[in-house]
Amino acid sequence: MVSSRSHKLSVREWVPLAPLHTFASHGQARAHVELISQEQLSELSAQYTAWPQPVWVLGSGSNVVFADDFPGTLVINQLKGRHCLQEDQATGTAIWRVCAGEQWHDWVAASVAAGWSGLENLALIPGTVGAAPIQNIGAYGVELSQVCVGVSAWHLPSGRMQYFDRAACAFAYRDSFFKRAAEKGHWLIVSVDFRLSRTFQAQLTYPALRDYPEPLTDAQAVFDAVCQIRQSKLPDPSVLPNAGSFFKNPIVSKTVAERLRQVLPDLPMYPVASSSGSAKLSAAYLIEQAGLKGFNWAEVGVYGQHALVLVRHQPGTGRAVLELTHHIQHLVQERFEVALEPEPLIWEGPSEL
Ligand code: FAD
Ligand code: NAP
């Protein structure tokens, strides 16, 4: 159930950033507030203009980069609880409401173990449920948008709750209404509604699942396979700090795709359902072809086993991450005339204020 604990907001000042995000850059946040009950939302809004600005909502910090000290307020979402809103025995479907501070993977594991299908391809994605709609998380051919029916969000500046159905969320590839610049920091996602099914619908188009050596005949088998594949490919942020895929796969026009096919005949390209003729390119391949796989820059680098992941080898600030980001973007642009857009939210420094 949704937590109803009443608790006055407690603010901490000048809090270390490293434990708050998986890239673990050194630095400090001016103010830090933990949100543990929905009753605190009104207080959060009443004091909104008094908080050091900007105000950013964070979950587990697995998709953010701090290149500098953060002069604003970080609101850490810890709203817990999940419950079934309605179950339809005839269709074998149910709608579940899950609070934003729940850990995503725990929710996926619990739903699959309880016999529900829909989330199994999204196993082992770090972070919270509330962050999942922000970039419409996706993996192995499934996106959150396929199972999300709506989002309850609190408008921080005005102090009101609003329900966004799927259309209002404006989900797109690694994007949503909430990720857009104008809305950044204004909406705090409180809970997410999911439609799950008792019927397993296999989505096994990605090579790692299609060619999996064991039969994947139910949601639990897919869940287990995804966990196994991810653990073998991706660096564990607690061992090698990182933010997952650092760049989005670029979506380009047919003309650009044809030009690139001439210079890079093996460049992986995938059709984009929402935009006929466009192609989604592999950013990892472009970075690798630019000679950057395994490339190190100060205390950070491009992961040797996966060119899309930037990692931290040594403790340090986030400045080197930003420099490496610019270096990669510059080289890929120069070599292939393709713009790479970072996936994580990046705090570059006070010039953003
Ligand atoms: P944070 O990093 O804390 O925040 C991310 C963004 O969401 C920020 O803009 C923040 O302001 C906003 N936000 C967070 N919570 C809220 C809220 N309640 N209300 C409003 N705004 C909020 N992503 C994928 O899509 N697919 C993957 O397969 C995947 N794999 C990953 C693997 C690794 C090893 C890592 C480190 C990351 C991976 N990611 C992946 C990225 C990341 O896990 C997801 O984007 C995740 O949803 C972020 O959750 P978080 O709680 O850590 O969000
Ligand atoms: P992969 O399976 O080796 O595939 C490489 C790239 O090709 C992926 O980026 C994927 O795009 C694309 N792709 C592969 N098969 C496709 C198909 N049938 N249709 C359309 N696109 C296809 O990728 P990986 O790096 O091991 O990651 C596996 C999955 O986990 C991917 O979906 C990836 O997005 C996700 N992941 C995401 C993050 C993150 O931080 N965002 C981190 C790790 C893994 P897409 O990326 O668009 O799916």
Side-chain angles (χ1 to χ4, degrees), residues 20-22 56-64 75 77 100-104 121-140 153 174 178-179 184-185 187-190 230 234-237 242-245 309 343-345:
L20 298 175
H21 69 301
T22 61
W56 276 16
V57 182
L58 276 198
S60 307
S62 63
N63 214 19
V64 290
V75 179
N77 190 323
E102 289 281 332
Q103 281 300 306
W104 175 261
N121 289 47
L122 302 176
L124 224 56
I125 298 180
T128 52
V129 167
I134 302 293
Q135 73 155 1
N136 180 24
I137 58 168
Y140 298 103
R174 301 291 189 268
F178 303 101
K179 200 174 180 181
K184 220 187 272 178
W187 291 98
L188 183 150
I189 293 179
V190 171
R230 291 182 71 106
L234 294 168
D236 176 351
N242 71 86
S245 301
V309 181
E343 186 183 286
L345 176 64

Short mmCIF file of all heavy atoms in Angstrom, two decimals, residues 20-22 56-64 75 77 100-104 121-140 153 174 178-179 184-185 187-190 230 234-237 242-245 309 343-345, ligand 1:
data_model
loop_
_atom_site.label_atom_id
_atom_site.label_comp_id
_atom_site.label_asym_id
_atom_site.label_seq_id
_atom_site.Cartn_x
_atom_site.Cartn_y
_atom_site.Cartn_z
N LEU A 20 25.35 9.24 -4.16
CA LEU A 20 23.98 9.47 -4.67
C LEU A 20 23.82 9.11 -6.13
O LEU A 20 22.71 9.19 -6.67
CB LEU A 20 23.58 10.95 -4.48
CG LEU A 20 23.52 11.44 -3.03
CD1 LEU A 20 23.22 12.93 -3.00
CD2 LEU A 20 22.45 10.67 -2.27
N HIS A 21 24.92 8.76 -6.82
CA HIS A 21 24.78 8.38 -8.24
C HIS A 21 25.83 7.35 -8.62
O HIS A 21 26.91 7.28 -8.03
CB HIS A 21 24.84 9.62 -9.15
CG HIS A 21 26.17 10.30 -9.23
ND1 HIS A 21 26.82 10.81 -8.13
CD2 HIS A 21 26.98 10.53 -10.29
CE1 HIS A 21 27.97 11.34 -8.52
NE2 HIS A 21 28.09 11.18 -9.82
N THR A 22 25.49 6.52 -9.62
CA THR A 22 26.32 5.35 -9.92
C THR A 22 27.62 5.70 -10.64
O THR A 22 28.50 4.84 -10.76
CB THR A 22 25.54 4.31 -10.76
OG1 THR A 22 25.15 4.93 -12.00
CG2 THR A 22 24.30 3.81 -10.02
N TRP A 56 16.16 19.21 -8.36
CA TRP A 56 16.16 17.99 -9.18
C TRP A 56 15.65 16.83 -8.33
O TRP A 56 16.05 16.67 -7.18
CB TRP A 56 17.58 17.64 -9.65
CG TRP A 56 18.03 18.35 -10.89
CD1 TRP A 56 17.48 19.45 -11.47
CD2 TRP A 56 19.16 18.00 -11.70
NE1 TRP A 56 18.19 19.80 -12.59
CE2 TRP A 56 19.23 18.94 -12.76
CE3 TRP A 56 20.13 16.99 -11.63
CZ2 TRP A 56 20.21 18.88 -13.74
CZ3 TRP A 56 21.12 16.94 -12.61
CH2 TRP A 56 21.14 17.88 -13.65
N VAL A 57 14.80 16.00 -8.95
CA VAL A 57 14.35 14.78 -8.28
C VAL A 57 15.31 13.66 -8.68
O VAL A 57 15.66 13.54 -9.85
CB VAL A 57 12.92 14.42 -8.73
CG1 VAL A 57 12.43 13.18 -8.00
CG2 VAL A 57 11.98 15.59 -8.50
N LEU A 58 15.73 12.87 -7.72
CA LEU A 58 16.59 11.72 -8.03
C LEU A 58 16.00 10.46 -7.45
O LEU A 58 15.33 10.49 -6.41
CB LEU A 58 17.98 11.90 -7.41
CG LEU A 58 19.06 12.69 -8.11
CD1 LEU A 58 20.42 12.34 -7.52
CD2 LEU A 58 19.07 12.50 -9.60
N GLY A 59 16.28 9.33 -8.14
CA GLY A 59 15.98 8.03 -7.59
C GLY A 59 17.30 7.44 -7.10
O GLY A 59 17.86 7.88 -6.10
N SER A 60 17.81 6.47 -7.89
CA SER A 60 19.08 5.84 -7.50
C SER A 60 20.29 6.49 -8.17
O SER A 60 21.41 6.00 -8.02
CB SER A 60 19.06 4.35 -7.88
OG SER A 60 17.93 3.73 -7.35
N GLY A 61 20.06 7.49 -9.01
CA GLY A 61 21.19 8.18 -9.64
C GLY A 61 21.93 7.34 -10.67
O GLY A 61 23.13 7.54 -10.89
N SER A 62 21.22 6.41 -11.34
CA SER A 62 21.91 5.57 -12.33
C SER A 62 21.84 6.15 -13.75
O SER A 62 22.35 5.53 -14.68
CB SER A 62 21.33 4.15 -12.31
OG SER A 62 19.98 4.15 -12.69
N ASN A 63 21.23 7.33 -13.88
CA ASN A 63 21.18 7.94 -15.22
C ASN A 63 21.46 9.45 -15.13
O ASN A 63 20.86 10.24 -15.85
CB ASN A 63 19.82 7.68 -15.86
CG ASN A 63 19.93 7.53 -17.36
OD1 ASN A 63 21.01 7.27 -17.89
ND2 ASN A 63 18.83 7.70 -18.06
N VAL A 64 22.36 9.80 -14.22
CA VAL A 64 22.75 11.21 -14.07
C VAL A 64 24.27 11.32 -13.97
O VAL A 64 24.94 10.37 -13.55
CB VAL A 64 22.13 11.88 -12.82
CG1 VAL A 64 20.64 12.07 -12.96
CG2 VAL A 64 22.45 11.11 -11.57
N VAL A 75 16.04 16.15 -4.46
CA VAL A 75 14.93 15.51 -3.73
C VAL A 75 15.03 14.02 -4.03
O VAL A 75 14.86 13.59 -5.17
CB VAL A 75 13.57 16.04 -4.21
CG1 VAL A 75 12.43 15.35 -3.46
CG2 VAL A 75 13.49 17.55 -4.03
N ASN A 77 13.70 10.46 -4.01
CA ASN A 77 12.38 9.83 -3.93
C ASN A 77 12.47 8.45 -3.27
O ASN A 77 13.11 7.54 -3.80
CB ASN A 77 11.81 9.69 -5.34
CG ASN A 77 10.36 9.27 -5.31
OD1 ASN A 77 9.95 8.48 -4.46
ND2 ASN A 77 9.57 9.82 -6.20
N ALA A 100 6.89 5.36 -6.68
CA ALA A 100 8.07 5.75 -7.45
C ALA A 100 9.40 5.36 -6.81
O ALA A 100 10.39 5.16 -7.52
CB ALA A 100 8.04 7.25 -7.68
N GLY A 101 9.44 5.23 -5.50
CA GLY A 101 10.73 4.94 -4.85
C GLY A 101 11.05 3.46 -4.77
O GLY A 101 12.11 3.08 -4.24
N GLU A 102 10.16 2.61 -5.26
CA GLU A 102 10.47 1.16 -5.30
C GLU A 102 11.63 0.92 -6.28
O GLU A 102 11.71 1.58 -7.33
CB GLU A 102 9.25 0.37 -5.78
CG GLU A 102 8.12 0.32 -4.79
CD GLU A 102 8.35 -0.70 -3.68
OE1 GLU A 102 9.05 -1.70 -3.90
OE2 GLU A 102 7.80 -0.48 -2.58
N GLN A 103 12.46 -0.07 -5.97
CA GLN A 103 13.54 -0.41 -6.90
C GLN A 103 12.95 -1.15 -8.10
O GLN A 103 12.17 -2.10 -7.94
CB GLN A 103 14.59 -1.29 -6.21
CG GLN A 103 15.55 -0.49 -5.33
CD GLN A 103 16.33 0.56 -6.11
OE1 GLN A 103 16.97 0.25 -7.12
NE2 GLN A 103 16.27 1.81 -5.66
N TRP A 104 13.30 -0.70 -9.30
CA TRP A 104 12.74 -1.26 -10.53
C TRP A 104 12.91 -2.79 -10.59
O TRP A 104 11.97 -3.54 -10.82
CB TRP A 104 13.38 -0.60 -11.75
CG TRP A 104 12.92 -1.24 -13.02
CD1 TRP A 104 13.58 -2.19 -13.75
CD2 TRP A 104 11.65 -1.05 -13.67
NE1 TRP A 104 12.81 -2.58 -14.82
CE2 TRP A 104 11.62 -1.89 -14.79
CE3 TRP A 104 10.56 -0.23 -13.40
CZ2 TRP A 104 10.54 -1.95 -15.65
CZ3 TRP A 104 9.46 -0.29 -14.26
CH2 TRP A 104 9.47 -1.14 -15.36
N ASN A 121 11.64 -8.71 -19.95
CA ASN A 121 12.79 -8.26 -20.76
C ASN A 121 13.50 -7.08 -20.10
O ASN A 121 14.62 -6.72 -20.48
CB ASN A 121 12.34 -7.84 -22.16
CG ASN A 121 11.91 -9.02 -23.01
OD1 ASN A 121 11.15 -9.85 -22.56
ND2 ASN A 121 12.39 -9.09 -24.24
N LEU A 122 12.83 -6.45 -19.14
CA LEU A 122 13.40 -5.24 -18.51
C LEU A 122 14.05 -5.55 -17.16
O LEU A 122 14.22 -4.67 -16.32
CB LEU A 122 12.30 -4.18 -18.35
CG LEU A 122 11.60 -3.77 -19.66
CD1 LEU A 122 10.45 -2.80 -19.39
CD2 LEU A 122 12.59 -3.14 -20.62
N ALA A 123 14.42 -6.83 -16.97
CA ALA A 123 15.08 -7.22 -15.72
C ALA A 123 16.44 -6.55 -15.58
O ALA A 123 17.09 -6.22 -16.57
CB ALA A 123 15.26 -8.74 -15.71
N LEU A 124 16.82 -6.37 -14.34
CA LEU A 124 18.16 -5.90 -13.95
C LEU A 124 18.53 -4.50 -14.44
O LEU A 124 19.70 -4.15 -14.51
CB LEU A 124 19.24 -6.92 -14.38
CG LEU A 124 20.31 -7.23 -13.34
CD1 LEU A 124 19.73 -7.72 -12.03
CD2 LEU A 124 21.31 -8.25 -13.86
N ILE A 125 17.53 -3.70 -14.81
CA ILE A 125 17.82 -2.29 -15.09
C ILE A 125 17.89 -1.59 -13.74
O ILE A 125 16.96 -1.69 -12.94
CB ILE A 125 16.73 -1.65 -15.98
CG1 ILE A 125 16.68 -2.36 -17.34
CG2 ILE A 125 16.98 -0.16 -16.16
CD1 ILE A 125 15.64 -1.81 -18.31
N PRO A 126 19.01 -0.91 -13.45
CA PRO A 126 19.12 -0.26 -12.15
C PRO A 126 18.12 0.89 -12.02
O PRO A 126 17.60 1.39 -13.02
CB PRO A 126 20.56 0.30 -12.14
CG PRO A 126 21.25 -0.32 -13.29
CD PRO A 126 20.20 -0.71 -14.28
N GLY A 127 17.90 1.32 -10.78
CA GLY A 127 17.11 2.53 -10.58
C GLY A 127 15.73 2.27 -10.01
O GLY A 127 15.38 1.14 -9.65
N THR A 128 14.95 3.32 -9.98
CA THR A 128 13.65 3.30 -9.33
C THR A 128 12.52 3.23 -10.36
O THR A 128 12.70 3.58 -11.53
CB THR A 128 13.47 4.59 -8.50
OG1 THR A 128 13.74 5.70 -9.35
CG2 THR A 128 14.39 4.62 -7.29
N VAL A 129 11.35 2.87 -9.86
CA VAL A 129 10.16 2.81 -10.71
C VAL A 129 9.81 4.22 -11.22
O VAL A 129 9.43 4.42 -12.37
CB VAL A 129 8.99 2.18 -9.92
CG1 VAL A 129 7.67 2.40 -10.62
CG2 VAL A 129 9.26 0.70 -9.70
N GLY A 130 9.98 5.23 -10.37
CA GLY A 130 9.61 6.59 -10.75
C GLY A 130 10.45 7.18 -11.86
O GLY A 130 10.00 8.07 -12.59
N ALA A 131 11.67 6.69 -12.00
CA ALA A 131 12.53 7.20 -13.07
C ALA A 131 12.25 6.51 -14.40
O ALA A 131 12.61 7.02 -15.46
CB ALA A 131 14.00 7.01 -12.69
N ALA A 132 11.61 5.35 -14.33
CA ALA A 132 11.44 4.55 -15.56
C ALA A 132 10.69 5.28 -16.67
O ALA A 132 11.05 5.19 -17.84
CB ALA A 132 10.77 3.21 -15.21
N PRO A 133 9.61 6.05 -16.34
CA PRO A 133 8.92 6.76 -17.44
C PRO A 133 9.74 7.93 -18.01
O PRO A 133 9.46 8.36 -19.14
CB PRO A 133 7.65 7.30 -16.77
CG PRO A 133 7.50 6.53 -15.50
CD PRO A 133 8.89 6.18 -15.08
N ILE A 134 10.68 8.45 -17.24
CA ILE A 134 11.39 9.66 -17.67
C ILE A 134 11.99 9.44 -19.06
O ILE A 134 11.75 10.20 -19.99
CB ILE A 134 12.50 10.07 -16.66
CG1 ILE A 134 11.91 10.31 -15.27
CG2 ILE A 134 13.28 11.29 -17.17
CD1 ILE A 134 11.00 11.49 -15.15
N GLN A 135 12.78 8.37 -19.19
CA GLN A 135 13.36 8.12 -20.52
C GLN A 135 12.71 6.90 -21.18
O GLN A 135 13.27 6.35 -22.10
CB GLN A 135 14.87 7.99 -20.43
CG GLN A 135 15.39 6.71 -19.82
CD GLN A 135 16.78 6.37 -20.30
OE1 GLN A 135 17.39 7.10 -21.08
NE2 GLN A 135 17.32 5.25 -19.86
N ASN A 136 11.53 6.49 -20.65
CA ASN A 136 10.85 5.36 -21.26
C ASN A 136 11.84 4.20 -21.40
O ASN A 136 12.20 3.79 -22.50
CB ASN A 136 10.27 5.78 -22.62
CG ASN A 136 9.54 4.65 -23.33
OD1 ASN A 136 9.06 3.71 -22.69
ND2 ASN A 136 9.47 4.74 -24.65
N ILE A 137 12.29 3.69 -20.25
CA ILE A 137 13.37 2.70 -20.26
C ILE A 137 13.05 1.54 -21.20
O ILE A 137 11.88 1.16 -21.37
CB ILE A 137 13.70 2.16 -18.85
CG1 ILE A 137 12.48 1.50 -18.19
CG2 ILE A 137 14.31 3.21 -17.97
CD1 ILE A 137 12.82 0.70 -16.94
N GLY A 138 14.10 1.01 -21.78
CA GLY A 138 13.90 -0.08 -22.74
C GLY A 138 15.08 -1.01 -22.76
O GLY A 138 16.20 -0.63 -22.43
N ALA A 139 14.80 -2.27 -23.09
CA ALA A 139 15.87 -3.25 -23.28
C ALA A 139 15.29 -4.47 -23.98
O ALA A 139 14.15 -4.85 -23.73
CB ALA A 139 16.47 -3.67 -21.94
N TYR A 140 16.09 -5.05 -24.85
CA TYR A 140 15.74 -6.31 -25.53
C TYR A 140 14.36 -6.24 -26.20
O TYR A 140 13.54 -7.16 -26.09
CB TYR A 140 15.84 -7.49 -24.54
CG TYR A 140 17.25 -7.65 -24.04
CD1 TYR A 140 17.62 -7.20 -22.76
CD2 TYR A 140 18.25 -8.18 -24.86
CE1 TYR A 140 18.92 -7.30 -22.32
CE2 TYR A 140 19.56 -8.27 -24.42
CZ TYR A 140 19.89 -7.84 -23.16
OH TYR A 140 21.19 -7.93 -22.73
N ALA A 153 1.73 12.21 -11.12
CA ALA A 153 2.88 13.09 -10.88
C ALA A 153 2.44 14.35 -10.14
O ALA A 153 1.33 14.84 -10.33
CB ALA A 153 3.56 13.43 -12.20
N ARG A 174 13.60 6.40 -25.74
CA ARG A 174 14.39 6.97 -24.62
C ARG A 174 13.96 8.40 -24.32
O ARG A 174 14.79 9.28 -24.02
CB ARG A 174 15.89 6.94 -24.91
CG ARG A 174 16.47 5.59 -25.17
CD ARG A 174 16.50 4.70 -23.93
NE ARG A 174 17.26 3.50 -24.19
CZ ARG A 174 16.71 2.37 -24.63
NH1 ARG A 174 15.41 2.28 -24.83
NH2 ARG A 174 17.46 1.31 -24.85
N PHE A 178 8.18 14.04 -19.70
CA PHE A 178 8.86 14.45 -18.47
C PHE A 178 10.34 14.77 -18.69
O PHE A 178 10.97 15.44 -17.90
CB PHE A 178 8.73 13.35 -17.40
CG PHE A 178 7.31 13.01 -17.10
CD1 PHE A 178 6.72 11.87 -17.63
CD2 PHE A 178 6.53 13.84 -16.31
CE1 PHE A 178 5.39 11.56 -17.37
CE2 PHE A 178 5.20 13.54 -16.04
CZ PHE A 178 4.64 12.40 -16.57
N LYS A 179 10.90 14.24 -19.77
CA LYS A 179 12.33 14.46 -20.01
C LYS A 179 12.59 15.79 -20.71
O LYS A 179 13.73 16.27 -20.75
CB LYS A 179 12.91 13.30 -20.83
CG LYS A 179 14.44 13.20 -20.71
CD LYS A 179 14.99 11.98 -21.39
CE LYS A 179 16.51 11.96 -21.24
NZ LYS A 179 17.13 10.82 -21.90
N LYS A 184 11.67 19.66 -17.06
CA LYS A 184 12.70 19.08 -16.20
C LYS A 184 12.63 19.67 -14.78
O LYS A 184 12.65 20.88 -14.62
CB LYS A 184 14.07 19.37 -16.81
CG LYS A 184 15.04 18.22 -16.72
CD LYS A 184 16.40 18.64 -17.18
CE LYS A 184 16.62 18.48 -18.66
NZ LYS A 184 17.94 18.94 -19.08
N GLY A 185 12.52 18.84 -13.80
CA GLY A 185 12.53 19.32 -12.42
C GLY A 185 11.20 19.83 -11.92
O GLY A 185 11.06 20.16 -10.75
N TRP A 187 8.07 18.15 -12.43
CA TRP A 187 7.15 17.08 -12.09
C TRP A 187 7.88 16.01 -11.29
O TRP A 187 8.93 15.54 -11.71
CB TRP A 187 6.57 16.45 -13.36
CG TRP A 187 5.63 17.36 -14.09
CD1 TRP A 187 5.93 18.14 -15.17
CD2 TRP A 187 4.25 17.59 -13.80
NE1 TRP A 187 4.82 18.84 -15.56
CE2 TRP A 187 3.78 18.53 -14.73
CE3 TRP A 187 3.38 17.10 -12.83
CZ2 TRP A 187 2.46 18.98 -14.73
CZ3 TRP A 187 2.07 17.54 -12.83
CH2 TRP A 187 1.61 18.47 -13.77
N LEU A 188 7.28 15.64 -10.19
CA LEU A 188 7.82 14.54 -9.40
C LEU A 188 6.88 13.34 -9.58
O LEU A 188 5.70 13.43 -9.21
CB LEU A 188 7.90 14.96 -7.93
CG LEU A 188 8.52 13.95 -6.96
CD1 LEU A 188 9.21 14.69 -5.81
CD2 LEU A 188 7.51 12.96 -6.41
N ILE A 189 7.38 12.29 -10.18
CA ILE A 189 6.54 11.11 -10.41
C ILE A 189 6.34 10.40 -9.07
O ILE A 189 7.32 10.10 -8.36
CB ILE A 189 7.15 10.20 -11.49
CG1 ILE A 189 7.08 10.94 -12.84
CG2 ILE A 189 6.40 8.86 -11.57
CD1 ILE A 189 7.64 10.22 -14.01
N VAL A 190 5.08 10.17 -8.74
CA VAL A 190 4.72 9.61 -7.43
C VAL A 190 4.45 8.11 -7.55
O VAL A 190 4.84 7.32 -6.69
CB VAL A 190 3.47 10.35 -6.89
CG1 VAL A 190 2.92 9.67 -5.65
CG2 VAL A 190 3.83 11.81 -6.59
N ARG A 230 22.97 -9.87 -18.97
CA ARG A 230 23.40 -8.54 -18.52
C ARG A 230 24.59 -8.65 -17.57
O ARG A 230 25.52 -7.85 -17.64
CB ARG A 230 22.22 -7.80 -17.88
CG ARG A 230 21.15 -7.41 -18.88
CD ARG A 230 20.03 -6.64 -18.20
NE ARG A 230 20.46 -5.33 -17.83
CZ ARG A 230 20.11 -4.19 -18.47
NH1 ARG A 230 19.28 -4.24 -19.48
NH2 ARG A 230 20.56 -3.04 -18.07
N LEU A 234 27.70 -6.32 -18.80
CA LEU A 234 27.73 -4.94 -18.33
C LEU A 234 28.53 -4.80 -17.05
O LEU A 234 28.45 -5.67 -16.17
CB LEU A 234 26.30 -4.44 -18.08
CG LEU A 234 25.43 -4.32 -19.33
CD1 LEU A 234 23.96 -4.11 -18.95
CD2 LEU A 234 25.91 -3.17 -20.20
N PRO A 235 29.27 -3.70 -16.91
CA PRO A 235 30.02 -3.51 -15.67
C PRO A 235 29.09 -3.20 -14.50
O PRO A 235 28.13 -2.44 -14.65
CB PRO A 235 30.91 -2.30 -15.99
CG PRO A 235 30.23 -1.59 -17.11
CD PRO A 235 29.44 -2.61 -17.86
N ASP A 236 29.36 -3.81 -13.36
CA ASP A 236 28.56 -3.57 -12.15
C ASP A 236 28.98 -2.20 -11.59
O ASP A 236 30.15 -2.01 -11.24
CB ASP A 236 28.87 -4.70 -11.16
CG ASP A 236 28.17 -4.50 -9.83
OD1 ASP A 236 27.58 -3.42 -9.61
OD2 ASP A 236 28.23 -5.44 -9.01
N PRO A 237 28.05 -1.25 -11.51
CA PRO A 237 28.43 0.09 -11.05
C PRO A 237 29.07 0.12 -9.67
O PRO A 237 29.85 1.03 -9.38
CB PRO A 237 27.10 0.87 -11.03
CG PRO A 237 26.20 0.12 -11.95
CD PRO A 237 26.62 -1.32 -11.86
N ASN A 242 29.53 3.60 -13.39
CA ASN A 242 29.10 3.95 -14.75
C ASN A 242 27.64 4.34 -14.73
O ASN A 242 26.97 4.20 -13.70
CB ASN A 242 29.36 2.77 -15.71
CG ASN A 242 28.43 1.61 -15.48
OD1 ASN A 242 27.33 1.57 -16.01
ND2 ASN A 242 28.83 0.65 -14.64
N ALA A 243 27.15 4.81 -15.86
CA ALA A 243 25.73 5.21 -15.97
C ALA A 243 25.04 4.43 -17.07
O ALA A 243 24.11 4.93 -17.71
CB ALA A 243 25.62 6.71 -16.21
N GLY A 244 25.49 3.20 -17.34
CA GLY A 244 24.88 2.40 -18.41
C GLY A 244 25.27 2.96 -19.77
O GLY A 244 26.34 3.58 -19.94
N SER A 245 24.40 2.79 -20.74
CA SER A 245 24.68 3.32 -22.09
C SER A 245 24.77 4.84 -22.00
O SER A 245 23.85 5.47 -21.50
CB SER A 245 23.57 2.95 -23.05
OG SER A 245 23.44 1.57 -23.12
N VAL A 309 29.42 2.27 -23.06
CA VAL A 309 29.43 2.52 -21.62
C VAL A 309 30.71 3.25 -21.23
O VAL A 309 31.81 2.80 -21.54
CB VAL A 309 29.35 1.17 -20.85
CG1 VAL A 309 29.33 1.41 -19.34
CG2 VAL A 309 28.10 0.39 -21.27
N GLU A 343 22.66 10.09 -23.13
CA GLU A 343 21.39 9.61 -22.57
C GLU A 343 21.17 10.12 -21.14
O GLU A 343 20.05 10.52 -20.80
CB GLU A 343 21.39 8.08 -22.61
CG GLU A 343 20.08 7.48 -22.18
CD GLU A 343 20.12 5.96 -22.15
OE1 GLU A 343 20.11 5.35 -23.23
OE2 GLU A 343 20.16 5.39 -21.04
N PRO A 344 22.19 10.14 -20.27
CA PRO A 344 21.93 10.58 -18.89
C PRO A 344 21.71 12.09 -18.81
O PRO A 344 22.12 12.85 -19.70
CB PRO A 344 23.23 10.23 -18.14
CG PRO A 344 24.05 9.41 -19.06
CD PRO A 344 23.58 9.69 -20.45
N LEU A 345 21.06 12.49 -17.74
CA LEU A 345 20.91 13.91 -17.42
C LEU A 345 22.27 14.38 -16.88
O LEU A 345 22.82 13.77 -15.96
CB LEU A 345 19.84 14.06 -16.35
CG LEU A 345 19.59 15.44 -15.79
CD1 LEU A 345 19.07 16.38 -16.87
CD2 LEU A 345 18.58 15.37 -14.63
P1 FAD B 1 18.04 8.77 -11.64
O1 FAD B 1 19.36 8.52 -12.29
O2 FAD B 1 18.03 9.08 -10.20
O3 FAD B 1 17.28 9.90 -12.46
C1 FAD B 1 17.22 9.80 -13.86
C2 FAD B 1 16.32 10.92 -14.38
O4 FAD B 1 14.99 10.75 -13.91
C3 FAD B 1 16.73 12.31 -13.91
O5 FAD B 1 16.38 13.20 -14.93
C4 FAD B 1 15.86 12.53 -12.68
O6 FAD B 1 15.66 13.92 -12.44
C5 FAD B 1 14.58 11.86 -13.11
N1 FAD B 1 13.79 11.28 -12.00
C6 FAD B 1 14.14 10.23 -11.21
N2 FAD B 1 13.11 9.90 -10.40
C7 FAD B 1 12.11 10.78 -10.68
C8 FAD B 1 10.79 10.95 -10.17
N3 FAD B 1 10.27 10.17 -9.22
N4 FAD B 1 10.04 11.96 -10.68
C9 FAD B 1 10.54 12.78 -11.65
N5 FAD B 1 11.76 12.66 -12.16
C10 FAD B 1 12.55 11.65 -11.69
N6 FAD B 1 18.23 2.37 -19.02
C11 FAD B 1 17.44 1.78 -19.93
O7 FAD B 1 16.51 2.41 -20.46
N7 FAD B 1 17.64 0.48 -20.31
C12 FAD B 1 18.62 -0.27 -19.78
O8 FAD B 1 18.76 -1.42 -20.14
C13 FAD B 1 19.49 0.32 -18.82
N8 FAD B 1 20.54 -0.35 -18.32
C14 FAD B 1 21.38 0.26 -17.44
C15 FAD B 1 22.49 -0.47 -16.95
C16 FAD B 1 23.36 0.12 -16.07
C17 FAD B 1 24.55 -0.67 -15.55
C18 FAD B 1 23.14 1.45 -15.63
C19 FAD B 1 24.07 2.10 -14.62
C20 FAD B 1 22.08 2.18 -16.11
C21 FAD B 1 21.19 1.59 -17.04
N9 FAD B 1 20.09 2.29 -17.56
C22 FAD B 1 19.25 1.68 -18.46
C23 FAD B 1 19.83 3.69 -17.16
C24 FAD B 1 19.03 3.80 -15.84
O9 FAD B 1 19.13 2.61 -15.10
C25 FAD B 1 17.57 4.11 -16.07
O10 FAD B 1 17.41 5.31 -16.79
C26 FAD B 1 16.78 4.22 -14.77
O11 FAD B 1 15.40 4.37 -15.03
C27 FAD B 1 17.23 5.38 -13.88
O12 FAD B 1 16.65 5.23 -12.60
P2 FAD B 1 17.19 6.07 -11.35
O13 FAD B 1 16.22 5.88 -10.23
O14 FAD B 1 18.58 5.70 -11.06
O15 FAD B 1 17.09 7.54 -11.92
#
